[in-house]
Amino acid sequence: MKLPSPAATLPPRLVRLRDGRDYRLRPLHRGDAARLAEMFATLSAESIRARYGYLIHDMTPERATRLVDVEPTHEIALGIFSLRADGREDRLWAMGRLVHAPDHRTAECAFIVHDSQRRLGMASCLLRYLRLLGRRRGLPRLFAQVRRENKGMLNVFSQGGARLHFSADSDVVEIDIPLWRAKNLFDNPPPAPSIPRMSMPVKKGFSLVELVIDLVLVAGFFTFFYYVLQSHVPSNDPTMVRLWATLAAGCMSGVFWLALQMMKTVFRFQRANRK
Ligand SMILES: CC(C)(COP(=O)(O)OP(=O)(O)OC[C@H]1O[C@@H](n2cnc3c(N)ncnc32)[C@H](O)[C@@H]1OP(=O)(O)O)[C@@H](O)C(=O)NCCC(=O)NCCS
């Protein structure tokens, strides 16, 4: 099994999309700045605004380099490229990005697919690989924030197993993507805990001595409170005083019995673990 690494990356691979063509999916690097600028040159203003929240008018080489040349322990950017007949990469059509939160317990993900290549499964494919990378990086979950009207992105996330949290007073939908593997019917059972849990105490037989001790303790408790409570019953009728003192002391004795059993369970558990 691969151990999590905060800088885990992905070897290039071919992915076949809905148009029946093969594309190359791989992490972006410094050499991709020109291809990114080329992609941005023909992206619609709505797509850029939907992805970045504002319009990027000029994709300068410095800006393009910043977007592709990322610090691998904090960020990873994947791209999908079309291929020429000779197998060389042609154009960049889609990007998906993970940006780690400062505490490295989660990462934000975001996507952009060129307007001319929509509904081919590019975003869904990127999401699948970003989830894989998130797991390899040891992240328990990913998150995203998507505008309520961005139905396309919301559908990609919900079909990719994300949880969508709508709130009445916000235009932004919070997306939560747990990365723990769902439990499979054929998974090996988890190893038995080295310390038995209290919910499965060591089986013990019936002990008459213990029962008698418990009954004596409860009877003593009952008697003590029966006499104490009599002076607190607001009545002068001796029958009423006895009746209410008996009922109240009886209830308290029941609770005492339960507390006694719980205390004995904890002691038994602690003793078993000391052995
Ligand atoms: C949202 C976006 C990334 C989707 O990319 P995509 O590659 O077209 O998505 P996919 O092909 O993987 O779509 C998968 C499913 O999502 C749903 N979907 C995708 N786009 C949709 C749209 N515009 N309207 C409704 N559903 C849509 C569909 O159910 C689709 O499956 P189907 O084609 O079998 O019906 C793309 O439209 C985009 O780049 N938008 C602009 C940038 C943006 O909004 N980024 C999000 C910021 S976080």
Side-chain angles (χ1 to χ4, degrees):
M1 200 186 83
K2 228 175 177 155
L3 286 174
S5 144
T9 185
L10 196 76
R13 61 195 60 218
L14 287 184
V15 289
R16 180 156 295 174
L17 298 180
R18 190 175 287 163
D19 58 359
R21 293 170 58 189
D22 287 334
Y23 292 78
R24 180 162 297 137
L25 181 139
R26 65 165 174 80
L28 298 176
H29 52 65
R30 204 175 175 78
D32 295 319
R35 283 219 173 83
L36 181 126
E38 183 189 25
M39 175 183 168
F40 264 74
T42 50
L43 264 175
S44 69
E46 299 80 62
S47 294
I48 299 177
R49 216 179 271 118
R51 164 64 182 89
Y52 295 96
Y54 53 89
L55 206 51
I56 301 174
H57 291 286
D58 55 333
M59 181 53 74
T60 58
E62 296 73 40
R63 189 170 222 161
T65 305
R66 268 205 309 280
L67 285 175
V68 290
D69 188 21
V70 296
E71 168 53 52
T73 52
H74 291 85
E75 195 171 346
I76 185 153
L78 296 181
I80 295 184
F81 296 81
S82 52
L83 298 172
R84 297 207 179 110
D86 60 4
R88 282 188 303 140
E89 286 171 5
D90 184 20
R91 290 187 61 175
L92 172 64
W93 292 114
M95 285 193 296
R97 187 175 299 270
L98 272 193
V99 182
H100 289 223
D103 61 2
H104 292 273
R105 295 177 66 82
T106 177
E108 183 167 18
C109 58
F111 306 85
I112 186 159
V113 175
H114 194 278
D115 305 66
S116 65
Q117 306 292 313
R118 301 270 166 88
R119 308 298 280 263
L120 293 180
M122 289 194 175
S124 308
C125 178
L126 286 166
L127 175 58
R128 211 162 41 246
Y129 282 102
L130 287 183
R131 290 179 65 145
L132 178 75
L133 275 169
R135 273 198 295 273
R136 287 190 182 163
R137 289 175 164 234
L139 300 167
R141 60 198 335 108
L142 305 180
F143 73 97
Q145 293 184 319
V146 180
R147 293 194 74 78
R148 196 181 270 269
E149 65 268 13
N150 193 343
K151 295 278 180 284
M153 196 67 245
L154 293 178
N155 284 347
V156 171
F157 277 128
S158 64
Q159 288 172 20
R163 296 186 196 133
L164 277 52
H165 301 283
F166 290 83
S167 104
D169 54 354
S170 172
D171 282 347
V172 174
V173 183
E174 302 287 341
I175 313 290
D176 179 33
I177 309 166
L179 297 180
W180 299 124
R181 199 157 57 97
K183 192 160 168 28
N184 189 306
L185 188 62
F186 301 106
D187 277 355
N188 293 328
S194 53
I195 300 176
R197 286 191 290 266
M198 274 210 274
S199 55
M200 46 180 209
V202 196
K203 213 172 174 174
K204 72 168 202 64
F206 171 76
S207 157
L208 187 65
V209 181
E210 261 190 43
L211 180 68
V212 171
I213 294 174
D214 287 357
L215 286 176
V216 169
L217 285 173
V218 173
F221 183 93
F222 176 87
T223 314
F224 174 74
F225 276 98
Y226 173 72
Y227 286 108
V228 168
L229 288 170
Q230 282 193 15
S231 59
H232 294 274
V233 178
S235 169
N236 294 325
D237 180 348
T239 315
M240 280 295 141
V241 169
R242 275 199 297 278
L243 172 71
W244 286 106
T246 307
L247 289 175
C251 288
M252 290 168 73
S253 303
V255 174
F256 176 71
W257 170 275
L258 285 176
L260 193 62
Q261 302 312 312
M262 284 163 70
M263 199 176 72
K264 284 188 343 190
T265 304
V266 172
F267 277 148
R268 212 175 291 129
F269 171 78
Q270 288 183 341
R271 216 177 32 226
N273 285 328
R274 241 182 274 126
K275 280 180 191 163

